[in-house]
Amino acid sequence: MVDILKLIKAANEMAPLPASSVRLAQLVQDPDAGLDDLGEVVALDQALTVRMLRMANSAFSASETRVSDVREAVMRLGAAQVLAFAISTHARAMMTKPLSRYGMEENALWKHSVRAALAIECLPKVSKRSVPSAAFAAALLHDVGKLVMDRFLAADDFEAIRRAREEGGLSPLLAEAEVLQVNHAELGGVVAQHWNLPEPIVHGIIYHHEPQRVCEEVPDLVYLANLAAKSAEGGDAIKPGELELDMGVVERTGVDGAALAELAEAVGSRFDEVFQRYEAGA
């Protein structure tokens, strides 16, 4: 039997986020904070400064004018991208590793996470709703709980989850909860809380499969981003029933099946460019 307390303890022992990333996450939630405030935080982190300048000057940028200081880089990228990129510099090393228990090859989780963040970026193409900065970071981290499960669960545990899905007819999320008394989204929320990330990001991770449990903006958007990313990936990434949209999300966001398909197409067409953007700061 799985010791759920040990699993939660493992989630709480994930390497902490750098202080600069935590501070940036707090600032993007502060309506009184501006880009200058974000620039000051980035400037105090030398490694992040170098990566941020490299990203702002990477091939994805349409501007031919090179950025030479942090303030310019932050203005070019915007608050949401600055936060997502700062977090990605920490998370990328973990998320590029293969998740053998999930049958995910090297880079598979990272690419899915970047696609989800890209879906958030592309949402204004299909919805008139504003997109909160926290949604970018939540989308990038929405599957971080899988890292804990892949690392600390035994092969027998994953076999029990597989049987619960195939023989019990349960969804992947319900199968995890049936066997473990916790699912990967909830474990991801534990990690995000351990990292002292703001509540909208934590909720975006916990409820990205079950947005109806809270009916909040960030979980709704991360739910859509996850589906769009899976649709853009195609093949085995999509499980039966996973693209059956929650009607509450449709009502709250205005993103229906046709809009989701358009969003997935946008993600697919721009992925290589955006993936290069994240790799530029590696």
Side-chain angles (χ1 to χ4, degrees):
M1 179 178 292
V2 175
D3 187 334
I4 187 173
L5 294 180
K6 285 187 177 180
L7 197 57
I8 293 173
K9 182 174 182 288
N12 274 313
E13 291 176 348
M14 294 282 283
L17 281 180
S20 55
S21 297
V22 176
R23 181 59 181 148
L24 287 170
Q26 294 168 344
L27 285 174
V28 299
Q29 292 298 116
D30 183 353
D32 296 325
L35 293 180
D36 285 343
D37 298 305
L38 272 66
E40 289 179 7
V41 173
V42 173
L44 292 173
D45 186 326
Q46 187 174 4
L48 180 58
T49 295
V50 172
R51 294 187 180 104
M52 198 73 70
L53 289 172
R54 189 184 302 154
M55 180 183 183
N57 287 311
S58 67
F60 89 90
S61 176
S63 175
E64 295 181 0
T65 304
R66 291 193 63 79
V67 170
S68 58
D69 65 51
V70 170
R71 186 177 185 279
E72 290 180 49
V74 170
M75 289 184 66
R76 179 174 290 188
L77 297 171
Q81 294 292 353
V82 166
L83 173 59
F85 180 73
I87 289 176
S88 76
T89 61
H90 176 78
R92 179 181 176 275
M94 298 182 289
M95 300 177 81
T96 54
K97 295 176 181 178
L99 302 188
S100 57
R101 307 290 195 198
Y102 280 93
M104 299 179 76
E105 298 178 351
E106 183 178 7
N107 259 331
L109 179 62
W110 176 236
K111 287 183 176 180
H112 172 69
S113 301
V114 172
R115 284 188 176 94
L118 172 57
I120 295 293
E121 183 179 323
C122 291
L123 266 169
K125 295 178 181 292
V126 301
S127 174
K128 294 181 180 180
R129 294 181 62 90
S130 61
V131 178
S133 297
F136 285 79
L140 193 67
L141 295 172
H142 73 277
D143 271 343
V144 71
K146 288 183 177 180
L147 295 174
V148 180
M149 292 179 68
D150 187 82
R151 181 176 176 183
F152 291 100
L153 292 181
D156 288 348
D157 299 322
F158 278 89
E159 175 60 21
I161 293 171
R162 184 195 65 78
R163 288 198 303 271
R165 289 174 55 187
E166 296 181 0
E167 299 173 12
L170 298 178
S171 69
L173 201 72
L174 290 178
E176 289 175 357
E178 175 76 16
V179 174
L180 308 173
Q181 287 76 58
V182 68
N183 60 55
H184 73 271
E186 292 166 337
L187 279 178
V190 174
V191 174
Q193 289 172 324
H194 167 61
W195 284 346
N196 293 314
L197 292 174
E199 185 176 90
I201 298 177
V202 175
H203 282 193
I205 295 169
I206 293 175
Y207 302 112
H208 74 268
H209 285 294
E210 304 173 296
Q212 73 281 359
R213 288 176 59 187
V214 286
C215 300
E216 295 174 356
E217 186 174 26
V218 173
D220 281 351
L221 298 183
V222 179
Y223 165 81
L224 293 171
N226 180 48
L227 292 184
K230 288 186 175 184
S231 182
E233 291 158 20
D236 294 336
I238 304 173
K239 304 296 187 297
E242 282 191 334
L243 290 184
E244 296 176 5
L245 273 171
D246 181 289
M247 293 310 298
V249 174
V250 174
E251 292 173 3
R252 291 189 295 273
T253 65
V255 179
D256 58 12
L260 182 65
E262 183 181 346
L263 183 62
E265 184 177 352
V267 170
S269 65
R270 291 196 56 214
F271 173 72
D272 288 341
E273 171 194 337
V274 174
F275 192 68
Q276 179 186 5
R277 177 195 312 176
Y278 281 92
E279 296 296 286

